[in-house]
């Protein structure tokens, strides 16, 4: 009897666990495409692009000192967990005139983790509004051109989110001031989109080998 139990634990249980998680990936393997074509951030001085990257896009606004909590929450809960993945980046769209404050923020972020995948692009007010409006979300940009919400953009510049969120119905972005939302929702959704591209890459490599 003991031998049978040990055999079940060693061989059958791992198979059942694998099948459970495999079915979970199949049923919850993609994020909804909410907007087909988000505008490229082609107004910045640096060579930052959304094309070909999985991007967390944010707008910190003119009063960056009031949005630092947002940046630190994202850094701790999302960035540090995922920044080592290839083609993953943070892009913060900033109003011109905030360059000095951004440099100070970058120094603080670098003390917590390698902040090389935090990118800041600076634009005129109208350029920033146009960028935000291209998301076609149900959210609004503040008068200071900032918002606590951040957005997941895929490699084809499509806004990804949820169309069946239990709290909001359609969920376009994540409130970076709410740690619970980052932990309970955004972490899962970033995992999903990274897994989606990893699975696609493995499939392509497998097809080439055939």
């Amino acid at each position: 009897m003991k031998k049978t139990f040990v055999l079940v634990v060693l061989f059958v249980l791992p198979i059942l666990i694998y099948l459970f998680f495999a079915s979970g990936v199949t049923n919850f393997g993609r994020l909804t495409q909410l907007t087909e074509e988000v505008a490229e951030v082609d107004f910045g001085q640096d060579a930052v692009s959304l094309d070909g990257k999985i991007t967390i896009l944010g707008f910190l606004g003119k009063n960056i000192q009031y949005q630092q909590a947002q940046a630190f929450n994202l850094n701790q809960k999302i960035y540090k967990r995922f920044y080592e993945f290839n083609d993953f980046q943070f892009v913060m769209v900033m109003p011109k005139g905030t360059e000095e404050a951004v440099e100070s923020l970058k120094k603080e972020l670098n003390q917590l983790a390698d902040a090389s995948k935090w990118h800041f692009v600076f634009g005129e007010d109208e350029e920033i509004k146009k960028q935000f409006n291209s998301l076609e979300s149900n959210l609004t940009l503040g008068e200071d051109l900032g918002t606590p919400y951040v957005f997941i953009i895929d490699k084809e510049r499509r806004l990804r989110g949820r169309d069946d969120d239990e709290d909001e119905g359609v969920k376009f972005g994540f409130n970076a001031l709410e740690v619970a939302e980052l932990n309970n929702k955004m972490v899962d959704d970033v995992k999903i989109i990274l897994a989606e591209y990893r699975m696609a890459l493995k499939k392509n490599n497998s097809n080439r080998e055939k």
Side-chain angles (χ1 to χ4, degrees):
M1 187 69 179
K2 290 182 178 179
K3 289 183 179 179
T4 303
F5 177 75
V6 170
L7 289 173
V8 169
V9 171
L10 291 177
F11 297 103
V12 178
L13 188 59
I15 293 173
L16 292 175
I17 291 173
Y18 169 79
L19 290 174
F20 172 79
F21 283 108
S23 64
V25 170
T26 301
N27 293 330
F28 195 52
R30 293 181 68 88
L31 292 180
T32 302
Q33 298 174 15
L34 299 176
T35 302
E36 287 297 321
E37 189 173 358
V38 176
E40 181 60 280
V41 285
D42 54 5
F43 49 81
Q45 294 77 24
D46 298 325
V48 177
S49 174
L50 302 183
D51 280 321
K53 300 284 188 180
I54 299 169
T55 302
I56 305 304
L57 181 67
F59 301 79
L60 294 183
K62 295 179 179 179
N63 302 314
I64 193 171
Q65 66 270 25
Y66 300 125
Q67 301 290 356
Q68 285 188 349
Q70 171 186 341
F72 292 139
N73 287 346
L74 287 168
N75 197 64
Q76 293 299 106
K77 300 301 180 180
I78 306 298
Y79 182 82
K80 287 176 68 174
R81 186 187 292 252
F82 300 112
Y83 80 94
E84 293 181 333
F85 284 89
N86 291 333
D87 302 327
F88 182 75
Q89 65 177 358
F90 273 44
V91 175
M92 298 292 119
V93 179
M94 306 299 303
K96 288 185 177 180
T98 61
E99 289 86 350
E100 186 175 339
V102 165
E103 284 303 313
S104 177
L105 175 61
K106 286 169 66 175
K107 288 179 181 178
E108 295 190 55
L109 293 173
N110 258 318
Q111 293 176 4
L112 303 172
D114 173 14
S116 60
K117 290 189 177 180
W118 274 90
H119 301 295
F120 296 83
V121 294
F122 301 91
E124 302 290 349
D125 291 11
E126 290 306 315
E127 292 173 322
I128 293 171
K129 291 176 184 178
K130 182 179 178 181
Q131 182 70 43
F132 182 84
N133 290 337
S134 76
L135 294 166
E136 299 178 1
S137 75
N138 60 355
L139 302 168
T140 57
L141 198 61
E143 292 183 2
D144 71 333
L145 302 177
T147 174
Y149 287 88
V150 293
F151 307 87
I152 298 175
I153 312 298
D154 70 17
K155 293 185 177 184
E156 289 74 37
R157 285 196 283 119
R158 296 173 299 203
L159 173 63
R160 298 295 197 95
R162 303 182 179 193
D163 60 3
D164 58 353
D165 183 73
E166 63 271 21
D167 299 313
E168 302 175 35
V170 178
K171 186 167 187 58
F172 288 91
F174 302 85
N175 189 337
L177 294 177
E178 298 289 340
V179 173
E181 181 160 313
L182 300 184
N183 283 332
N184 298 332
K185 295 184 179 182
M186 190 173 181
V187 167
D188 288 343
D189 285 9
V190 173
K191 284 181 181 178
I192 290 169
I193 195 165
L194 290 172
E196 178 184 327
Y197 279 102
R198 284 201 303 270
M199 290 169 64
L201 181 61
K202 288 179 180 179
K203 184 177 180 180
N204 290 337
N205 290 339
S206 176
N207 290 337
R208 288 173 185 171
E209 290 174 2
K210 293 178 182 180

